[in-house]
Amino acid sequence: MIKTLIFLLALFVAGNSMAQELLGTPKIVNYTNEVYKGGIQNWDVKQDRGGILYFGNNEGLLTFDGRYWNLHRLPNFTAVRSLGIDSRRRIYVGGQDEFGYFFPDAQGILRYHSLLYLLPEDLRKLADIWDISIVKDEVFFRSNNAVLHYKNDVIKYYKTATTWLHLGEVNGKVFAQVREKGLLLFDQGIWTPYCADTVLKQASITSIMPFGKDSILISTLKRGLFIISKGKLTSFETEFDPVLFNDRIFFASQISSGQYAIGTTSGGIYIMNREGQVVQKYNYREGLQNNNVRGILLDKHKNVWLALDDGISYIAINSAIKNIFPDRTKQITSYAFRKHNQSIYIGTSNGLYRSAITGNSADISYSVSNFQEVKNTKGQVWGLNEFNNQLLMAHEEGTFLINNNVAVPMFSLPGTWMFESLENIFPVTDVIAGTYTGLQKLAYSNGRFGNMGKVEGIKETLRFIVADNNNPDLIWASHPYHGVYRILLKPDHKSILNVKMFTDVDGLPFKLYNYVYRIKNRVVVATTKGVYEFDSNKNRFVRVSLFGKLLDDTPIQYLKEDNDGNVWFVSNKRVGVIDFSRPSGKSNFSIFYMPELDGKVVGGFESIYALDDKNIFIGANKGAYHINYSKYIRNITRPNIVLGAVKLQGKSDSLVFGGYFVKNNAITERQDVSHIPSFNNELNSIHFEFSSTLFEQDKNLTFSYQLVGFDDHWSVWSDKSEKDYTNLPAGCYTFNVKARSHINNESKVLSYVFEVKHAWYDTWWMKIIYILLTALAIKVLIKWQKAKHQKAQHRMSYLHQLELDRNEKEIIRLQNEKLEAEVNYKNKELSTMTMHLLQRGKVLAKIKEVISAVVKNHDITDSSTSFRHLIRLIKDVERKDQELDHLSVHFSHVNTDFFNKLKSRYPELSQNDLKFCAYLSMNLSTKEMAQLMNVTIKAVEVGRYRLRKKLQLKPETNLYEFLNEISKTKMI
């Protein structure tokens, strides 16, 4: 009972001692299962040479490249309990009744390769594989009932009569614990006893670590730590043993040559040194999301990753920048810092806090945090200064002297901004305080400061005051909204002799936002466009040449010189340092920005306290920041760049590159350009994902990229870690990407070469077809054009011929018209002659009558008048016969074809018949024909009858129409 009480008392004391936190807390990042999209529990964590992290998760293998999480499941969908990575970067995993390794295929996509098939069927019931150890690429897997040795694609099975409790590797040697046998060593294929101490026969070992040249440190689940040296087991006592016994050790790991991380089941993680002293401690109170630690990894940048029972946590224990929270129960803003009498004081928006500095570390952030609020300091603390080993506090309620843990007021209102000594010789006698309503004088005498009252002559609120180096009675002050004041004090420093205000008309770039400081023993003014100083010869402000042109046009709100001569500054809430100990290029200094602090400083109330190169304190909106500057410079690491995935975008995304470059079945850092992937033209929209495994700088990393063959220039730097290209034309492209953590700290360029194939209608063979089709089309076109031309020629010829024919017909028509006119004329003439002949016929008839009358009534004598008249009539008849003959000739001349037709058809026709036909064709009446022919009508009728018989006409045929038809028909 007494032993139990002593144990509980020790546990309580140790628990209280362990409850103390460090002054500076590193950045802690928690990842929940909602972030990484996997199971809640995580069992193990490993990192490969490329910086990619692997977690054994309840739902499979988790990978993390700094920006993107990916989950790879086992075939039986069991949890991954253990991990191991060999020199070929194979990721070995152990699950339930399943073990094997992940390795990328030719497209860089992780694929699982099971090794279970190498075991006989009856040995495949393994339960969970809890441990994996790899030595010279020989892999050992442990389950409770077997240890498997994988070498050269062969599995050797080791069985025990009890239980295999643990498997681990130290200095190239493999150890395993067997219940009731102790710790065994694997030596040349045989498990040999290494330590058979009674403790190890029963207590469960959770980790094995190197501890010196010939010793190993082991952790047990419930009995703490032990050292095995030359086969002998001894207890390793620590200052937190009761905590280890209570919280139990689940996992432990050596994180440096002199430090060890102890992960517990309910107390978080403890980092101890070789002496068993706690150096750091992190649990739920410090920011972990869970206290049950199942796996620990110190990554390439010496920061810690924790596999937790609920989630994953990252602790930047190697970071040079840490948070300080004077009061973890309140969100307070810090404005002022000072180390005084082995204590660190922080002035905040809620008063002044003090913490004693413990330990021997030059880095104060490793001191135990035991902040206490200094009495009588509630309210805004604007400044802290130490003069003559006394600490003065500038407070919104006045000026206070800090004595131990109590603030003693020196004067009350008005509020005080800051203090400035008018002397550079110890001890200081006169100190000027800038207050809300002007200046206040403090004097030192008899070992203490006293209030000497208000300095008369100015009522301006003055937050920034600097004493002139050459004149103890001259001070420079500034008001951000008015200008810069040059104030000349009277020798007793109780009143002002002269005040002059300088603005933009006196050389300053702008009337507002000017702040006076002392840098390099010079009074300078931080302005909206760099740093200026007063030139007494010109009686105006000129630009400071000390910083070259690098800060020209840069708005500066705060300047502070540290003990090494480096100048810290704040520009628009960005913290930087001008380091004169590290020349760069043509300048005798380098400028480093600290992007981790971007936007976190207090705008308008910036504060930097540079104690030394390991302790820089910076005021912040939430608490404060501590910077180990020398470590920060050492930790500047060139970021790497990881191409996590390449996807083709279409109806559904298709992963074509999984993040690993593979050549000759080995992972390489660069792409094998002898095998460039080609993508179909319809899949010409591509998505790239990239990141960097510089996890500490995750929030500060920016990326730039360029697609050679599409982009003319690199993109602007941004924190965007993915890029899409859509509708890329066919061709060969190179995607280049790089990362940077600082302006002058860029990674190497990583390239990915690929090709977008031509569309089927844009391939070389289609081009040949296009050429052939074009040639064929040209040929067809030429042929068609030629045929068209010939057709046109034929048409022109035809039209020409038609024109000729038309002209010829026109000529013929005109000739026919002429002939017709001539025929008509001759016919008219013939008609006229016929009429004359008819008239003569009438005359003959009269002659006959006359002759008949003479014969009957008179005696005919030659001399009689009647006779002479008769003679003349007879002559007339003779002339009539001649005219009749002339008429026949004329008719024959006009109707030559008509007679020829008759003669050809009817050769038996006589001349008299032809004459008869001519009269008939002229449509003369029988009477008229009788008169013309000087025959009787009966004779004409007989002639007509005879002619019809010769013409072989039927009775119903009209003789006139028949002859008219003959005259119209053409000669053959």
Side-chain angles (χ1 to χ4, degrees):
M1 183 67 179
I2 296 175
K3 289 183 178 179
T4 304
L5 290 175
I6 293 173
F7 174 78
L8 292 175
L9 180 62
L11 180 62
F12 176 77
V13 174
N16 284 335
S17 66
M18 291 306 103
Q20 294 177 327
E21 297 110 5
L22 297 181
L23 186 76
T25 304
K27 179 175 70 173
I28 297 177
V29 181
N30 293 311
Y31 301 93
T32 67
N33 66 311
E34 294 177 352
V35 173
Y36 55 72
K37 307 298 182 185
I40 292 177
Q41 292 179 316
N42 296 278
W43 299 91
D44 202 356
V45 54
K46 292 289 186 293
Q47 185 178 37
D48 66 11
R49 292 195 307 272
I52 298 175
L53 293 170
Y54 302 90
F55 297 87
N57 183 264
N58 256 15
E59 296 184 4
L61 175 68
L62 269 177
T63 67
F64 183 52
D65 61 7
R67 290 292 176 97
Y68 300 98
W69 296 88
N70 290 289
L71 179 65
H72 306 270
R73 301 182 185 274
L74 297 185
N76 56 2
F77 298 95
T78 63
V80 173
R81 306 287 191 188
S82 53
L83 296 172
I85 302 176
D86 67 7
S87 62
R88 292 173 291 180
R89 292 176 68 177
R90 288 183 174 183
I91 304 103
Y92 289 90
V93 298
Q96 188 174 50
D97 292 332
E98 183 61 63
F99 67 100
Y101 64 90
F102 283 90
F103 194 76
D105 59 15
Q107 286 74 43
I109 303 172
L110 281 184
R111 303 294 184 189
Y112 180 68
H113 304 267
S114 178
L115 298 177
L116 191 64
Y117 74 96
L118 296 175
L119 287 177
E121 189 73 31
D122 59 337
L123 298 179
R124 295 181 183 179
K125 296 297 182 181
L126 299 169
D128 288 301
I129 303 294
W130 289 103
D131 299 315
I132 296 176
S133 293
I134 302 175
V135 176
K136 297 179 181 179
D137 286 343
E138 297 180 29
V139 187
F140 295 82
F141 302 88
R142 179 193 72 87
S143 69
N144 288 337
N145 54 10
V147 169
L148 309 175
H149 180 202
Y150 174 65
K151 180 181 179 181
N152 297 328
D153 293 328
V154 175
I155 293 285
K156 191 169 184 179
Y157 187 95
Y158 295 96
K159 193 174 182 180
T160 180
T162 56
T163 303
W164 295 92
L165 296 176
H166 182 73
L167 177 73
E169 176 270 330
V170 175
N171 298 327
K173 297 179 180 180
V174 178
F175 297 88
Q177 182 191 17
V178 179
R179 187 180 297 278
E180 299 179 1
K181 289 186 179 181
L183 192 64
L184 307 181
L185 171 67
F186 186 79
D187 186 15
Q188 297 181 358
I190 300 174
W191 292 99
T192 61
Y194 184 79
C195 181
D197 191 281
T198 304
V199 174
L200 298 184
K201 290 182 179 181
Q202 298 299 327
S204 295
I205 295 176
T206 56
S207 300
I208 303 176
M209 298 158 284
F211 194 84
K213 184 177 181 181
D214 299 318
S215 302
I216 61 175
L217 178 67
I218 65 173
S219 64
T220 62
L221 183 65
K222 299 179 182 179
R223 301 189 61 175
L225 302 173
F226 295 87
I227 294 177
I228 301 177
S229 180
K230 298 180 180 179
K232 292 186 64 176
L233 182 75
T234 58
S235 177
F236 181 76
E237 296 181 356
T238 71
E239 65 180 14
F240 59 108
D241 273 352
V243 176
L244 298 182
F245 297 154
N246 181 66
D247 292 334
R248 300 190 298 176
I249 303 172
F250 191 92
F251 189 85
S253 175
Q254 183 182 24
I255 60 175
S256 70
S257 60
Q259 291 187 340
Y260 299 84
I262 312 297
T264 67
T265 59
S266 58
I269 178 176
Y270 295 85
I271 298 176
M272 71 173 192
N273 56 23
R274 288 177 59 88
E275 288 72 37
Q277 298 171 332
V278 175
V279 179
Q280 301 177 55
K281 177 182 70 70
Y282 304 98
N283 55 28
Y284 185 80
R285 178 182 172 84
E286 277 76 35
L288 293 186
Q289 60 184 323
N290 188 269
N291 282 340
N292 192 338
V293 180
R294 300 182 180 277
I296 302 173
L297 170 73
L298 187 75
D299 68 15
K300 294 173 63 176
H301 300 106
K302 301 185 180 348
N303 295 307
V304 170
W305 288 86
L306 303 179
L308 303 176
D309 186 62
D310 184 359
I312 295 168
S313 288
Y314 167 72
I315 308 174
I317 63 171
N318 192 44
S319 175
I321 300 179
K322 297 179 181 178
N323 287 98
I324 298 176
F325 298 102
D327 190 342
R328 291 181 179 271
T329 64
K330 299 182 181 71
Q331 179 176 317
I332 56 178
T333 302
S334 54
Y335 300 112
F337 308 89
R338 189 66 54 174
K339 179 188 176 186
H340 178 67
N341 294 337
Q342 282 304 110
S343 293
I344 187 70
Y345 291 85
I346 300 179
T348 74
S349 58
N350 195 47
L352 181 65
Y353 290 82
R354 168 185 172 270
S355 177
I357 299 173
T358 63
N360 300 319
S361 175
D363 187 336
I364 295 177
S365 67
Y366 288 104
S367 174
V368 175
S369 173
N370 50 15
F371 278 106
Q372 293 179 333
E373 184 179 343
V374 177
K375 294 180 180 179
N376 303 326
T377 62
K378 286 289 187 181
Q380 302 277 3
V381 177
W382 299 120
L384 293 169
N385 287 85
E386 184 179 355
F387 302 106
N388 305 335
N389 295 324
Q390 295 192 22
L391 183 62
L392 298 179
M393 178 181 70
H395 193 275
E396 67 176 344
E397 294 182 356
T399 297
F400 294 78
L401 178 66
I402 306 303
N403 187 3
N404 292 324
N405 205 39
V406 179
V408 179
M410 295 185 64
F411 64 84
S412 297
L413 297 176
T416 304
W417 293 113
M418 64 169 297
F419 307 101
E420 177 68 5
S421 169
L422 297 180
E423 302 159 315
N424 294 323
I425 301 173
F426 181 86
V428 173
T429 58
D430 285 356
V431 172
I432 295 296
T435 72
Y436 290 6
T437 58
L439 301 177
Q440 196 88 9
K441 178 183 178 182
L442 304 176
Y444 182 77
S445 63
N446 300 323
R448 61 175 296 172
F449 279 98
N451 177 24
M452 302 306 292
K454 182 177 176 60
V455 177
E456 299 296 333
I458 189 169
K459 296 182 179 181
E460 192 69 76
T461 178
L462 299 173
R463 284 181 51 207
F464 305 92
I465 303 172
V466 176
D468 191 272
N469 295 324
N470 302 317
N471 186 349
D473 299 332
L474 182 64
I475 63 174
W476 294 85
S478 66
H479 189 292
Y481 303 111
H482 293 169
V484 176
Y485 297 91
R486 183 177 63 185
I487 303 173
L488 181 61
L489 301 174
K490 291 183 179 180
D492 61 2
H493 300 160
K494 291 184 178 180
S495 61
I496 294 173
L497 184 64
N498 179 264
V499 176
K500 177 176 175 54
M501 186 174 71
F502 297 88
T503 63
D504 52 330
V505 298
D506 302 297
L508 294 173
F510 194 49
K511 178 181 179 180
L512 307 180
Y513 311 117
N514 299 301
Y515 313 89
V516 295
Y517 300 99
R518 178 181 286 108
I519 300 295
K520 301 292 184 180
N521 289 323
R522 304 155 79 169
V523 177
V524 300
V525 180
T527 74
T528 56
K529 291 187 177 182
V531 183
Y532 285 71
E533 65 179 339
F534 186 72
D535 187 332
S536 57
N537 295 325
K538 297 180 180 180
N539 195 35
R540 63 187 292 109
F541 282 90
V542 297
R543 192 182 297 277
V544 173
S545 61
L546 180 66
F547 308 127
K549 295 183 178 181
L550 295 180
L551 292 182
D552 289 359
D553 298 327
T554 300
I556 306 293
Q557 292 85 39
Y558 187 86
L559 290 169
K560 184 70 175 182
E561 184 178 0
D562 64 19
N563 297 330
D564 296 320
N566 302 319
V567 178
W568 294 75
F569 65 92
V570 177
S571 173
N572 294 336
K573 295 187 179 182
R574 296 180 65 207
V575 178
V577 57
I578 306 170
D579 193 332
F580 287 90
S581 65
R582 293 173 174 83
S584 175
K586 297 180 180 180
S587 302
N588 61 344
F589 58 84
S590 296
I591 296 180
F592 297 97
Y593 284 93
M594 298 183 178
E596 300 91 339
L597 303 179
D598 285 356
K600 296 178 180 179
V601 297
V602 186
F605 296 91
E606 299 84 0
S607 176
I608 298 177
Y609 174 56
L611 179 62
D612 54 44
D613 65 345
K614 294 180 178 59
N615 297 282
I616 309 293
F617 296 85
I618 298 179
N621 293 314
K622 297 179 181 180
Y625 286 94
H626 175 277
I627 301 176
N628 185 330
Y629 180 64
S630 62
K631 186 176 184 179
Y632 187 89
I633 294 299
R634 292 195 307 271
N635 281 1
I636 293 178
T637 303
R638 188 177 188 182
N640 67 326
I641 185 71
V642 176
L643 184 61
V646 178
K647 299 176 183 178
L648 299 181
Q649 297 177 321
K651 293 182 179 179
S652 61
D653 291 350
S654 173
L655 181 65
V656 294
F657 177 71
Y660 300 86
F661 292 115
V662 179
K663 182 178 181 181
N664 299 327
N665 202 32
I667 296 176
T668 61
E669 300 301 322
R670 300 288 166 180
Q671 183 186 17
D672 179 12
V673 294
S674 62
H675 296 86
I676 298 175
S678 298
F679 309 133
N680 291 332
N681 184 265
E682 61 270 16
L683 298 174
N684 61 353
S685 294
I686 301 180
H687 173 79
F688 295 94
E689 295 177 357
F690 40 86
S691 62
S692 175
T693 57
L694 189 60
F695 303 107
E696 182 182 347
Q697 300 290 335
D698 175 55
K699 299 297 183 182
N700 312 313
L701 287 170
T702 54
F703 303 91
S704 182
Y705 46 82
Q706 179 190 29
L707 185 62
V708 179
F710 187 83
D711 296 328
D712 294 329
H713 307 286
W714 283 85
S715 69
V716 296
W717 291 98
S718 73
D719 60 356
K720 183 181 178 182
S721 60
E722 58 185 358
K723 175 60 179 176
D724 292 303
Y725 290 95
T726 57
N727 298 321
L728 290 176
C732 189
Y733 299 93
T734 300
F735 180 73
N736 293 327
V737 62
K738 56 186 177 181
R740 76 175 183 183
S741 58
H742 299 278
I743 293 177
N744 298 317
N745 190 31
E746 295 182 9
S747 70
K748 295 180 180 178
V749 175
L750 183 65
S751 300
Y752 180 78
V753 183
F754 64 96
E755 180 185 13
V756 176
K757 293 181 180 179
H758 290 269
W760 64 268
Y761 49 81
D762 194 30
T763 55
W764 62 268
W765 53 271
M766 283 301 297
K767 291 179 180 178
I768 293 176
I769 293 176
Y770 294 150
I771 293 172
L772 294 176
L773 290 176
T774 302
L776 180 61
I778 292 173
K779 184 177 180 180
V780 171
L781 181 63
I782 292 173
K783 188 174 181 181
W784 175 79
Q785 188 67 24
K786 187 175 181 180
K788 182 180 179 182
H789 178 69
Q790 290 178 347
K791 186 176 180 180
Q793 289 292 94
H794 288 312
R795 179 177 174 81
M796 291 297 294
S797 178
Y798 173 72
L799 293 175
H800 180 66
Q801 187 62 40
L802 286 179
E803 185 68 19
L804 291 177
D805 292 344
R806 189 180 69 81
N807 293 337
E808 185 176 356
K809 287 181 179 179
E810 184 67 17
I811 293 171
I812 293 172
R813 184 184 66 80
L814 294 174
Q815 289 177 346
N816 289 336
E817 288 181 353
K818 182 180 179 181
L819 291 174
E820 186 177 356
E822 291 178 353
V823 169
N824 290 334
Y825 174 75
K826 291 182 178 180
N827 285 333
K828 185 177 181 181
E829 196 177 47
L830 182 61
S831 298
T832 302
M833 292 178 63
T834 303
M835 292 302 296
H836 285 294
L837 290 175
L838 289 176
Q839 291 294 328
R840 286 196 194 100
K842 292 179 179 180
V843 171
L844 288 175
K846 289 180 178 181
I847 292 173
K848 288 179 180 180
E849 290 178 0
V850 171
I851 292 173
S852 297
V854 171
V855 172
K856 288 181 180 181
N857 300 316
H858 301 283
D859 291 333
I860 301 172
T861 61
D862 293 336
S863 61
S864 65
T865 306
S866 297
F867 184 79
R868 287 195 301 270
H869 181 66
L870 180 61
I871 294 300
R872 284 195 300 272
L873 288 175
I874 292 171
K875 289 180 181 180
D876 289 336
V877 172
E878 288 176 352
R879 284 197 299 269
K880 183 191 72 171
D881 290 337
Q882 290 176 356
E883 288 177 359
L884 183 61
D885 292 337
H886 178 73
L887 176 64
S888 298
V889 173
H890 184 74
F891 183 86
S892 297
H893 179 71
V894 175
N895 298 285
T896 303
D897 289 340
F898 175 72
F899 290 118
N900 292 335
K901 292 174 187 177
L902 286 174
K903 288 179 180 180
S904 63
R905 289 188 182 184
Y906 306 101
E908 67 274 11
L909 293 177
S910 63
Q911 192 66 32
N912 192 50
D913 292 332
L914 292 175
K915 186 185 297 186
F916 197 82
C917 288
Y919 293 154
L920 288 173
S921 65
M922 292 173 64
N923 200 19
L924 298 177
S925 64
T926 302
K927 185 178 179 180
E928 290 173 339
M929 289 177 61
Q931 289 178 352
L932 288 174
M933 295 178 67
N934 197 23
V935 293
T936 63
I937 293 174
K938 183 68 175 178
V940 173
E941 290 177 355
V942 172
R944 287 172 66 98
Y945 174 76
R946 289 176 181 172
L947 180 61
R948 291 180 68 89
K949 288 189 70 174
K950 288 183 180 182
L951 296 178
Q952 301 177 355
L953 296 178
K954 294 179 179 182
E956 62 271 15
T957 301
N958 186 283
L959 185 58
Y960 166 76
E961 292 177 357
F962 174 75
L963 293 175
N964 194 39
E965 285 293 329
I966 290 176
S967 65
K968 292 180 178 179
T969 58
K970 294 182 179 180
M971 286 289 293
I972 299 175

